Amino acid sequence: DWNFILRSGFCSFTELHPLAGCWPHVPVPENRWNRERWHHKNVDIPGKMITKWGGFVHDFDQFDAQFFGISPREALRMDPQQRWLLESAWECLEDAGIPPVSLRGTETAVFVGIASNDYANVAQSDPKNVDVHTCESIWSGQATMALAGGVNALLTPDASIGFSKATMLSPTGQCFAFDDRANGYVRGEGSGMLVIKPLSQAQKDGDRIYCTIRAAVINQDGNTSSMTVPGVETQAEMLRIAYRQAGMEPKRVRYMEAHGTGTPVGDPIET
């Protein structure tokens, strides 16, 4: 039984801008970093970034620790990304109609992707803050259920400066992926979580089912002209393997989510 269920988590942005063809963006909030200090339109200026825009979550420092049985002291040491994941996990289980208490003692797996640890870098800069504090396993039967998701928080300018130096960020804060106006992407933050179970078990349990996963394939891009350039042949082969494993003809596809670099080099290759 290769079929699985997915549940939606949450991902919220500070403000949605009605800009046709681009992702929502806002100026960097004052409680993150001084956007004017770290901004310069010349990409060659050291220690500066060409953009002062991004996608940001409301009240990133707010968290109901008591609800999760976490002490106030421990909550102060928790990365906002960990808090968002807890909230996302709770909401997706709630949406699925699965009481979290029912998972105690079960073989439920958790898979999370995180790209940065800004909060830890900020906290550990002060010694006073230091204290004590794939889903292949579903198919193989090692786990009876899994929570899979990702999270990203933008708390310091360091990573943005690096991406800016690589000319990956849009100076206007607008991501026109697969468009001739593309001039880079926009960094954003948020959290999302999915509940994954075998379809037969989900049906037996009376769960709310959103979709099924027929195959999941990963690969390595191979030797390309640079680190940021996609590999056409290797990605095409990955798709062929995925369709074959899923027993599906490519012409049945009606929707595709792609990387969408928002750059004149990456977008045509990705397409």
Side-chain angles (χ1 to χ4, degrees), residues 38-58:
W38 297 102
H39 173 258
H40 199 286
K41 62 182 181 181
N42 186 344
V43 70
D44 295 323
I45 301 298
K48 302 288 185 179
M49 67 182 81
I50 58 174
T51 184
K52 45 185 174 181
W53 304 88
F56 295 90
V57 172
H58 271 303

Side-chain angles (χ1 to χ4, degrees), residues 211-257:
C211 67
T212 61
I213 299 175
R214 300 293 299 274
V217 180
I218 61 173
N219 75 339
Q220 205 277 341
D221 235 11
N223 184 21
T224 61
S225 59
S226 73
M227 179 188 70
T228 60
V229 175
V232 177
E233 295 81 7
T234 49
Q235 290 197 16
E237 179 60 22
M238 180 184 66
L239 289 172
R240 280 191 286 268
I241 295 172
Y243 288 126
R244 184 166 63 248
Q245 288 187 3
M248 180 187 297
E249 290 291 326
K251 64 183 179 182
R252 291 184 57 191
V253 174
R254 293 294 178 267
Y255 174 86
M256 178 174 287
E257 180 179 347

Side-chain angles (χ1 to χ4, degrees), residues 25-152:
H25 71 294
V26 294
V28 176
E30 294 180 356
N31 60 3
R32 304 308 172 91
W33 62 82
N34 187 324
R35 58 178 178 265
E36 299 300 334
R37 174 189 175 188
W38 297 102
H39 173 258
H40 199 286
K41 62 182 181 181
N42 186 344
V43 70
D44 295 323
I45 301 298
K48 302 288 185 179
M49 67 182 81
I50 58 174
T51 184
K52 45 185 174 181
W53 304 88
F56 295 90
V57 172
H58 271 303
D59 302 326
F60 78 98
D61 56 343
Q62 302 299 305
F63 178 62
D64 189 351
Q66 185 177 4
F67 179 83
F68 291 98
I70 297 172
S71 69
R73 180 184 177 189
E74 183 181 356
L76 287 173
R77 299 292 184 261
M78 289 178 64
D79 191 315
Q81 297 177 122
Q82 185 176 2
R83 306 172 200 166
W84 294 349
L85 285 171
L86 279 173
E87 293 167 346
S88 298
W90 184 277
E91 288 192 13
C92 75
L93 289 170
E94 184 178 62
D95 183 67
I98 301 174
V101 67
S102 69
L103 303 180
R104 290 179 178 174
T106 66
E107 295 177 331
T108 297
V110 178
F111 303 97
V112 172
I114 299 179
S116 62
N117 60 339
D118 292 358
Y119 190 77
N121 293 333
V122 172
Q124 293 174 4
S125 64
D126 187 344
K128 296 192 297 293
N129 291 331
V130 178
D131 61 16
V132 297
H133 287 102
T134 78
C135 300
E136 178 71 22
S137 59
I138 294 287
W139 275 324
S140 67
Q142 290 178 312
T144 57
M145 193 181 96
L147 291 174
V151 64
N152 193 48

